[in-house]
Amino acid sequence: MSSWWCAVHGYNHPKLTAAISAQLEQMSHVMFGGIAHPMASELGKRLIDITPEPLQQVFLADSGSIAIEVALKMALQYWQSLGQKNKNKLLTVRGGYHGDPFTCMSVGDPDNGRHDLFSHAIAKQLYAPRPEICFDQEWNEQDVKAMRQVLEQQHNEIAAVIIEPIVQGAVSMRFYHPEYLRQLRALCDEFSVLLIFDEIATGFGRTGKLFALEHADVCPDIMAVGKALTGGTMTLAATITTRKVSEGISSGNAPMLMHGPTFMANPLACAVACASIDLLLSTEDGSPYPDGWQAKVQQIEQTLQALHIINDHPAIASVRVLGAIGVVQMHEPVNVAKVQASLVEQGVWVRPFGRLIYVMPPYILTPEQQAKLCSSIVHTIKTLY
Ligand SMILES: Cc1ncc(COP(=O)(O)O)c(C=O)c1O
């Protein structure tokens, strides 16, 4: 599971440990209000380098969900600064997940039960149906029709659309068609609504591209990354936006984005994030990815295809693989206790939920370990179902 999808280089990589230790000997915390530090600027440069060209301004937040809160605040403050006071609603698709704080919950799937307990206190946002056409199916314009309708009717009150690009992760582990994102970009432009991509789960190579948006070749106005940003070592996330959005925000009554958590841009986390990005992109001798991270993720994708061997099993609804993500969807909810016990017995830890048994392995797994992961899941299903 790569520790909830973030420990892409495995645990205790010496380069990451060395980066934290070196920073620890200098400064472990810098209050980032009005004072900066070299590691934050190094990380900002790297993020600007590896994300699409229009994304130029970086806010370093302290966790994935806070990066989403920041993205949403950026969008809301942008329209306030421009004097468009009515644009204060958020639009999203069903089946999404963006974190557990209140505004994140408000743009998460309203029906999956995770946030039911708080529904009375969660702001009411706007929802379009989830994208239905799968990643490798034939595209059909109907898929984006309902989204167009909502935008057509309510764009005057909508600040932004937020979506997980390509992979709807924590709710359903579904891979949808890249054309959806291209059409969504065009709709947001047509109706003057900002587009936010939540790349917290998909960023840093997980889907076979450095960022999932590259499958569609579109650029959002705001993008959030987290999880694998520090290789799973420390909590850190980033919200990256365009000059247009940041200058728009600063043109209002408040000169800057109104957000400033105590641990933003923590120097230890920034140092290890720089080291993790360098490690991912390095092909030097001794790097875990001498042929490039893409080759490694492609190789994992290839091995995970072995899961398709149970396609025809009566308990299986579907099997899907994209990059270093393998998903087995059952017809009925998984008996988590039994499935986990069987897998642990074989030396494997995964965390099924709902009808899903899925894997997001660290990129450093050997082909043998990857094969074992697949064969253990297949064995478990064949013996328990
Ligand atoms: C797509 C997405 N957005 C946001 C989050 C929240 O990130 P964090 O748990 O770091 O707050 C998650 C976490 O799983 C996620 O998958």
Side-chain angles (χ1 to χ4, degrees):
M1 305 309 294
S2 310
S3 274
W4 251 328
W5 327 343
C6 55
V8 288
H9 313 299
Y11 300 100
N12 201 17
H13 193 285
K15 290 232 159 114
L16 304 195
T17 310
I20 299 185
S21 304
Q23 183 58 41
L24 198 51
E25 301 214 342
Q26 302 209 359
M27 283 190 101
S28 56
H29 189 280
V30 172
M31 62 171 286
F32 210 57
I35 180 168
H37 61 82
M39 278 304 159
S41 102
E42 279 299 314
L43 179 56
K45 280 187 216 152
R46 279 172 179 69
L47 289 171
I48 288 168
D49 269 1
I50 61 178
T51 53
E53 203 271 329
L55 300 173
Q56 291 288 323
Q57 309 286 115
V58 182
F59 185 99
L60 295 167
D62 37 3
S63 72
S65 15
I66 298 305
I68 294 298
E69 290 275 329
V70 167
L72 300 173
K73 281 173 88 169
M74 279 180 179
L76 293 166
Q77 198 180 327
Y78 172 78
W79 292 113
Q80 292 295 305
S81 292
L82 264 53
Q84 303 228 25
K85 308 274 179 206
N86 287 341
K87 278 173 106 58
N88 49 32
K89 283 270 174 219
L90 302 164
L91 169 60
T92 188
V93 290
R94 288 176 184 272
Y97 177 78
H98 301 283
D100 289 343
F102 274 95
T103 320
C104 298
M105 286 197 285
S106 81
V107 289
D109 188 73
D111 298 323
N112 82 78
R114 213 180 286 236
H115 299 138
D116 278 2
L117 206 56
F118 308 100
S119 53
H120 60 286
I122 298 176
K124 300 279 173 271
Q125 311 290 5
L126 302 168
Y127 298 93
R130 69 178 190 182
E132 283 300 332
I133 313 281
C134 296
F135 187 81
D136 44 14
Q137 280 177 332
E138 198 176 321
W139 171 249
N140 183 332
E141 297 289 330
Q142 287 299 318
D143 214 26
V144 80
K145 205 172 156 198
M147 175 60 87
R148 167 173 273 283
Q149 268 166 5
V150 182
L151 282 164
E152 242 165 23
Q153 285 160 13
Q154 284 173 273
H155 61 96
N156 284 333
E157 49 184 304
I158 300 173
V161 175
I162 178 165
I163 191 165
E164 293 158 280
I166 304 294
V167 180
Q168 288 200 297
V171 169
S172 57
M173 301 305 295
R174 291 177 70 255
F175 314 143
Y176 63 86
H177 202 290
E179 185 60 25
Y180 190 93
L181 293 178
R182 287 190 277 269
Q183 302 270 340
L184 183 58
R185 175 70 274 179
L187 286 173
C188 286
D189 289 342
E190 183 180 342
F191 292 108
S192 286
V193 164
L194 296 178
L195 178 59
I196 303 172
F197 282 171
D198 178 348
E199 289 258 11
I200 287 164
T202 48
F204 304 102
R206 181 56 68 182
T207 67
K209 304 277 187 191
L210 197 53
F211 297 102
L213 56 80
E214 293 168 27
H215 289 286
D217 200 18
V218 289
C219 180
D221 301 289
I222 304 171
M223 160 172 168
V225 296
K227 288 197 187 276
L229 173 63
T230 64
T233 318
M234 290 198 62
T235 174
L236 184 72
T239 312
I240 315 165
T241 190
T242 60
R243 286 204 198 286
K244 180 184 125 185
V245 171
S246 100
E247 282 164 13
I249 289 171
S250 301
S251 69
N253 290 338
M256 65 189 83
L257 179 76
M258 284 296 129
H259 199 89
T262 308
F263 281 84
M264 65 182 163
N266 174 262
L268 300 175
C270 290
V272 74
C274 289
S276 179
I277 293 172
D278 293 348
L279 194 60
L280 184 67
L281 302 182
S282 164
T283 51
E284 280 169 13
D285 270 1
S287 147
Y289 319 111
D291 300 319
W293 66 266
Q294 295 95 328
K296 188 68 207 205
V297 171
Q298 263 166 27
Q299 185 273 309
I300 298 175
E301 183 173 44
Q302 211 48 46
T303 314
L304 293 181
Q305 302 293 352
L307 292 169
H308 283 292
I309 203 166
I310 41 168
N311 276 350
D312 297 332
H313 188 286
I316 301 300
S318 75
V319 174
R320 45 190 183 266
V321 174
L322 181 69
I325 312 174
V327 185
V328 174
Q329 182 161 342
M330 318 281 289
H331 288 297
E332 301 295 331
V334 176
N335 184 330
V336 176
K338 280 193 171 166
V339 166
Q340 260 184 342
S342 159
L343 289 165
V344 167
E345 217 168 274
Q346 297 168 76
V348 162
W349 166 259
V350 304
R351 185 175 183 272
F353 70 91
R355 289 162 203 244
L356 304 172
I357 303 174
Y358 76 99
V359 290
M360 288 223 194
Y363 305 160
I364 45 96
L365 279 202
T366 63
E368 295 71 34
Q369 289 168 324
Q370 298 156 24
K372 178 172 175 160
L373 198 52
C374 296
S375 62
S376 305
I377 290 172
V378 169
H379 175 77
T380 294
I381 289 168
K382 282 186 175 165
T383 46
L384 293 183
Y385 292 92

